[in-house]
Amino acid sequence: MKQLKKRIRNIPDFPKKGIQFKDITTLLSDPSSFQRAIDLMAHRHFHEGIDAVVGVEARGFIMGAAMAYKLGTGVLLVRKPGKLPFRTVSATYDLEYGKDRLEIHADAIRPGMRVIVADDVLATGGTMAAVAGLLDKLGAEIVECCFLAELTDLKGREKLKGRKVFSLLKFNE
Ligand code: AMP
């Protein structure tokens, strides 16, 4: 795990002062690190009857698609507003300044569908809380919220209380 952590590049003060940005491109571009990370995130779910993996735009698509391929499921997309062509349902959530919105196709989820939701980084948890709320509304059973990395100091798990949360790599800054 130490080796995988080292593959994530820390960029201080990006995109603005005070943020320690976890650049995952350096892990993704290394074949054995990418493969190992996805294997470790996916293998725990092999016999859990997962129906689909949900990926959150944009880096969550990479995690979600690779995990879905590994698990032999489909991948469902949660996208920024205006990107999905069919009828959508959406969730609005708070950002540091202002609000944002995420959407999913209204027919993407069958009630009772067992899903994993994947994203790259758990920071404040606002994004995943909004996505999970959206999936709840559509009747999905969320088996796990799964992240490549977690910024533990930001206490994102508190926004996801009552949900199963897994992160492969933990950073305390
Ligand atoms: P949050 O809603 O605060 O948990 O933020 C989650 C989303 O923002 C994730 O999809 C990440 O891609 C991105 N993000 C937030 N903070 C960071 C960070 N320090 N480094 C890299 N990505 C981040």
Side-chain angles (χ1 to χ4, degrees):
M1 225 56 91
K2 247 192 194 154
Q3 288 306 110
L4 284 181
K5 270 183 91 167
K6 274 201 233 156
R7 285 279 168 191
I8 293 186
R9 178 164 58 187
N10 190 69
I11 313 278
D13 300 323
F14 182 88
K16 56 186 179 192
K17 208 161 174 42
I19 307 279
Q20 300 289 332
F21 192 85
K22 301 298 170 209
D23 176 16
I24 66 163
T25 62
T26 38
L27 182 147
L28 297 178
S29 63
D30 179 59
S32 63
S33 300
F34 179 44
Q35 193 166 48
R36 182 154 165 72
I38 295 300
D39 283 353
L40 289 168
M41 288 164 77
H43 88 268
R44 297 163 313 104
H45 298 294
F46 273 147
H47 304 292
E48 288 202 317
I50 303 300
D51 296 308
V53 182
V54 179
V56 183
E57 187 164 1
R59 286 172 297 241
F61 289 171
I62 301 165
M63 302 295 130
M67 286 179 73
Y69 185 81
K70 189 88 196 166
L71 291 171
T73 73
V75 59
L76 310 180
L77 307 186
V78 169
R79 299 211 62 181
K80 307 252 165 77
K83 301 280 188 186
L84 290 169
F86 186 62
R87 196 159 40 84
T88 59
V89 287
S90 68
T92 303
Y93 61 103
D94 290 324
L95 293 176
E96 215 171 334
Y97 302 108
K99 288 188 181 298
D100 211 345
R101 196 154 54 92
L102 285 167
E103 300 181 338
I104 188 168
H105 274 150
D107 63 351
I109 298 285
R110 280 173 278 106
M113 210 167 167
R114 286 170 58 77
V115 302
I116 294 169
V117 196
D119 204 354
D120 63 332
V121 172
L122 172 60
T124 65
T127 307
M128 186 55 84
V131 172
L134 193 54
L135 296 171
D136 286 344
K137 209 159 73 181
L138 292 172
E141 185 188 332
I142 302 173
V143 176
E144 186 177 270
C145 303
C146 185
F147 302 88
L148 174 63
E150 175 177 0
L151 308 178
T152 51
D153 285 356
L154 298 181
K155 303 194 187 327
R157 280 175 191 258
E158 288 180 5
K159 287 218 182 81
L160 298 170
K161 262 200 191 115
R163 302 191 187 275
K164 191 162 173 235
V165 177
F166 173 82
S167 64
L168 188 61
L169 308 172
K170 293 178 177 56
F171 294 86
N172 48 27
E173 68 158 14

